[in-house]
Amino acid sequence: MMSATLTFARKRGLDTETWLQRLIVAAGVLFLLIALLMPLTTMLVKSLQNTAGEFIGLSNFVAYFSNAALTQSILNSLNIAIWTTVIVVSTAFVFAYALTRSGMVGKKGFRILTMLPLFAPSLLPALSMIYLFGNQGILKDWLPVDSIYGPVGIVMGLSFWAFPHALMILITAFSNSDARLYEAAKSMKTPPWRVFLTVTLPSVRYGLINTIFVIFTLTITDFGVAKVIGGQYNVLATDIYKQVVGQQNFQMGAVVSVILLLPALVSFIVERRVQRHQSAQLSSRAVPLQPQKSPLRDALLALFCTLVCGFLLLVVGMAVYASFITFWPYNMELSLNNYRFDMMDGGGWASYFNSLQMSAWTAVIGTAVIFLVAYMSEKIKPMPTARKLLQLLAMLPMAVPGIVLGLAYIFFFNHPQNPFNAIYGTMAILVLNTLVHFYTVCHLTAVTSLKQIDGEFEAVSASLKVPFYTTLRRVTLPLALPSVLDISVYLFVNAMTTVSAVVFLYSADTTLASVAVLHMDEAGDIAPAAAMAVLLMLTSLAAKTLHWLISHQILQRTQRWRQC
C-alpha cells in the first residue's frame, strides 16, 4: 500500500517529502472527521429516527417539548449556568485584580491554592457539600435554604470547580496593561472609580467576555455536580444520563444531546467572534504596570482572597476528612476502611489502575498526535485548504460537551457495520474519546508555541535539503519542549478526573475511577466515593509535581539558551 502510494506520488511529480507532508495533513483531517464529526452526525441522525431506525423527522423533538418535565430542564440548566457564571466571574475578577494590581502580601500562596480545583474531579465538591450542608452535615444550620440537594448545591459545587478556569483567563487579561495610561490619569487627577471605568475595564473587556462564555459553557454542560447533588432538580446533562442509562431511550437521549449542544455551540461561536475583533492592548512602547501599595485596599483584597481560598480549602479538606471517617456521623474514628475499594461497588482498585493506564496512554498518544497535527497545520505549506479545514476541526471539540460526545460514540462505534466497531468496549475507545474531548486546548497550546518559533528555521532547512521531519526532531521539538510537557500533563490530569465523556463507554474490564465515584455515590457509599475522589486528586497533584520537577531539572539543561 505504501509503495503504491509512493509510486502514485512520483507520477504526479511530487517528491517524497511533499507526499509525506500531504499524507500527514490528510491523516489529521481524517482522524478528526472519524473521531469527532462523524459520531456527532450519527447522533443527529439518530435523533430523527425511531427505535426501529426509521426516519420520523422532528417527531422526537415534538415529543420532548410536549413533556413539561423535560423542557423544564432547559430553564433549570440556564438558571444554573447564569447564576454560576455571575458568581464565578465576579469573584475571579476581584481575585485577579488583587493578584495583579495590588501590593498585598502572599500572592504566590493565594495563586497556588486557587489551582487545587483543577486537580479534583467535579464530583469531589458535590460530595464535600453533602458532608458540609447535607442532612447530617456539620454546617447544615448555616445553609440559608431548606436543602443542599438542588440548585443551591449545584451552583456551590460548580463555583468551586469553575473558579480557577475563570481566574487563569482574567489574570492574563489584567497582566497586559500599559502603565502610561495610569500615569496620564494620575497626572490629570482622575478619581480612582473613573480610572477603573475608563482605563482598567476597557483593557480587560475581551478577557472578561471570554471568561463569561467559557464559564457559561462549562457550567451548562457539566454532568458530575448535578448528578451527585442535584436531587430532583433536573438539568440537560443529567436528563441525557437518565434517558440512556435509566430508560434505555437512546433516541430521546440524542434529542437532549442536540439541545444541549446548541447553547455550547452558540457560546463557542460568539466567543470566537469576540476574539477575532480583539485588538492588541500593548504596543512596542508600552511600559509594564507596577502595582502600587495602598494599605487599606491591600488589606481588604487580602481579606477577600483569604475568604475565597478558605472556601476552597474547606471543600477539599472536608472531602479528605470524610474519606477517613469510619461511619459518618455515628462512628467518627479515623480509619482506612473507605479506601478498601474492592469491597465497594464501582470496580474496586482495578478501576483506579485502569484510570492510570488510560491517562498514561492519552498523555503519550495524545501529545504526539496533537503536536504533529499542530506542526503540520502551522509550519507546512502544501494543501492550504486541507490545513484550514484541519484548524477548523481542531477548534470544534471545545464546543462539544463531554456527555454528548460520549453518547455520539455509542451511536457511531457501536454500529455493527462500522469497521471501527472492534474498539468499542475497549481501552482504545476511552483513550480516543478523552483525547478528542480535550483536544482543542492542547492544540491551541501547541500552535501558540509553534508561532513563537521563527519560520526561517524551516526555510533554511528547505534550502539545505534537510527533510522536514529532521528539522522537527532536532530543532522544533526541543524549542517547543516546555509546551509539549504542558500538553502531556494537561491530558493526564484531565483524563484522570473526567467522568461525563466516558460514563457511557466503559465495559466490565475497563471501569474507571471517576465513574466508580459516581456508582459508589449511587449505591449510597458516599464516604468511599469521597475517598476515590481524593485519591484521584492526589494522583493528579503527583503528576503535576513530577511535571514541575522535569520542567525545572531537565529543561534547565536543555533550555539554558533561553536565559542567555
Side-chain angles (χ1 to χ4, degrees):
M1 179 66 182
M2 182 69 71
S3 60
T5 307
L6 183 57
T7 301
F8 173 77
R10 287 171 177 169
K11 289 180 179 180
R12 293 287 303 274
L14 300 176
D15 60 82
T16 304
E17 184 172 351
T18 303
W19 163 79
L20 185 58
Q21 291 174 354
R22 293 192 174 194
L23 182 63
I24 295 176
V25 172
V29 173
L30 186 62
F31 167 75
L32 289 173
L33 285 174
I34 294 174
L36 177 65
L37 210 55
M38 293 176 70
L40 292 177
T41 303
T42 305
M43 185 188 68
L44 179 60
V45 172
K46 286 291 183 181
S47 70
L48 304 176
Q49 296 175 339
N50 59 18
T51 54
E54 300 170 342
F55 180 77
I56 57 174
L58 298 177
S59 298
N60 289 330
F61 288 88
V62 173
Y64 175 84
F65 285 104
S66 300
N67 189 323
L70 291 176
T71 53
Q72 182 63 36
S73 297
I74 300 177
L75 298 177
N76 290 347
S77 294
L78 290 173
N79 181 49
I80 292 296
I82 291 172
W83 273 108
T84 306
T85 301
V86 170
I87 293 172
V88 169
V89 174
S90 57
T91 304
F93 186 91
V94 178
F95 207 108
Y97 181 89
L99 292 178
T100 57
R101 301 295 177 85
S102 76
M104 70 177 188
V105 296
K107 290 183 180 180
K108 288 186 178 180
F110 286 132
R111 185 71 183 95
I112 292 173
L113 290 176
T114 59
M115 301 293 288
L116 281 177
L118 292 175
F119 303 103
S122 62
L123 300 166
L124 184 142
L127 294 169
S128 186
M129 291 299 162
I130 294 175
Y131 283 104
L132 286 171
F133 304 106
N135 295 332
Q136 297 174 328
I138 60 175
L139 300 179
K140 178 185 176 182
D141 295 336
W142 291 26
L143 197 67
V145 295
D146 294 334
S147 176
I148 192 68
Y149 299 97
V152 173
I154 298 174
V155 170
M156 292 177 69
L158 286 176
S159 297
F160 169 89
W161 178 65
F163 175 75
H165 297 84
L167 185 63
M168 286 188 294
I169 301 174
L170 289 173
I171 285 177
T172 303
F174 273 112
S175 299
N176 297 326
S177 297
D178 192 346
R180 295 176 302 170
L181 298 176
Y182 291 89
E183 291 174 0
K186 184 178 180 180
S187 65
M188 297 175 66
K189 298 183 179 180
T190 307
W193 64 267
R194 190 174 183 85
V195 174
F196 177 81
L197 293 177
T198 59
V199 180
T200 302
L201 206 55
S203 69
V204 301
R205 65 182 181 275
Y206 289 111
L208 184 60
I209 293 172
N210 287 340
T211 304
I212 291 172
F213 285 117
V214 167
I215 300 305
F216 180 85
T217 303
L218 285 175
T219 52
I220 200 173
T221 59
D222 179 72
F223 164 73
V225 174
K227 178 65 179 67
V228 172
I229 206 169
Q232 300 302 313
Y233 193 84
N234 295 327
V235 295
L236 288 170
T238 54
D239 272 356
I240 297 174
Y241 184 79
K242 291 176 181 178
Q243 292 293 332
V244 174
V245 176
Q247 303 180 27
Q248 297 292 301
N249 190 343
F250 288 87
Q251 274 66 30
M252 192 57 69
V255 169
V256 183
S257 295
V258 173
I259 294 172
L260 180 60
L261 192 59
L262 292 178
L265 278 173
V266 170
S267 178
F268 171 76
I269 292 171
V270 173
E271 189 268 340
R272 300 305 298 178
R273 290 181 65 88
V274 168
Q275 275 196 358
R276 212 173 285 145
H277 291 87
Q278 183 171 355
S279 57
Q281 298 298 316
L282 293 177
S283 65
S284 59
R285 289 178 289 182
V287 178
L289 179 64
Q290 298 297 328
Q292 301 296 319
K293 290 185 177 294
S294 175
L296 178 59
R297 181 203 61 188
D298 294 346
L300 292 175
L301 289 175
L303 176 61
F304 176 84
C305 293
T306 300
L307 292 175
V308 172
C309 289
F311 170 74
L312 300 180
L313 287 174
L314 177 65
V315 173
V316 173
M318 188 68 246
V320 174
Y321 175 64
S323 72
F324 290 105
I325 296 299
T326 301
F327 186 57
W328 186 285
Y330 305 106
N331 186 350
M332 302 296 285
E333 293 183 1
L334 301 181
S335 71
L336 294 175
N337 290 347
N338 295 321
Y339 287 86
R340 300 169 67 183
F341 299 126
D342 289 332
M343 302 181 64
M344 315 292 177
D345 291 332
W349 277 100
S351 62
Y352 172 73
F353 292 112
N354 284 339
S355 287
L356 284 177
Q357 182 183 352
M358 191 268 284
S359 301
W361 280 115
T362 302
V364 173
I365 297 175
T367 301
V369 170
I370 291 169
F371 187 80
L372 182 60
V373 170
Y375 177 83
M376 300 308 293
S377 65
E378 185 64 29
K379 294 293 186 178
I380 300 303
K381 302 304 179 185
M383 303 177 70
T385 303
R387 288 190 292 109
K388 288 182 180 179
L389 177 60
L390 188 61
Q391 292 170 357
L392 174 63
L393 291 173
M395 293 297 104
L396 285 181
M398 184 178 288
V400 182
I403 197 166
V404 173
L405 185 64
L407 184 59
Y409 268 44
I410 291 180
F411 292 133
F412 182 69
F413 288 99
N414 197 33
H415 197 283
Q417 296 180 355
N418 189 331
F420 300 101
N421 175 263
I423 72 169
Y424 189 79
T426 67
M427 185 65 70
I429 196 171
L430 296 175
V431 173
L432 179 64
N433 176 269
T434 306
L435 166 59
V436 173
H437 182 39
F438 299 108
Y439 191 95
T440 302
V441 173
C442 299
H443 179 82
L444 290 174
T445 302
V447 168
T448 301
S449 176
L450 291 169
K451 283 182 180 294
Q452 296 174 348
I453 300 175
D454 199 325
E456 289 186 5
F457 287 110
E458 283 74 23
V460 172
S461 297
S463 65
L464 295 174
K465 306 295 184 181
V466 178
F468 79 92
Y469 46 83
T470 301
T471 306
L472 170 63
R473 177 174 58 87
R474 301 186 63 179
V475 179
T476 308
L477 185 57
L479 290 175
L481 189 57
S483 296
V484 171
L485 293 174
D486 287 342
I487 291 171
S488 63
V489 74
Y490 177 87
L491 287 173
F492 183 90
V493 169
N494 282 280
M496 282 296 298
T497 58
T498 186
V499 59
S500 61
V502 297
V503 71
F504 295 138
L505 300 176
Y506 68 94
S507 64
D509 297 326
T510 59
T511 55
L512 298 175
S514 57
V515 179
V517 176
L518 184 67
H519 290 326
M520 284 189 282
D521 173 72
E522 289 177 338
D525 296 326
I526 301 178
M532 183 68 85
V534 169
L535 184 61
L536 288 174
M537 183 183 68
L538 294 177
T539 304
S540 299
L541 283 171
K544 184 62 179 178
T545 302
L546 180 62
H547 166 259
W548 180 84
L549 290 174
I550 293 174
S551 298
H552 285 74
Q553 297 299 321
I554 297 179
L555 293 183
Q556 277 188 354
R557 292 195 293 265
T558 61
Q559 306 289 308
R560 192 177 299 276
W561 58 273
R562 294 179 183 270
Q563 302 172 7
C564 298

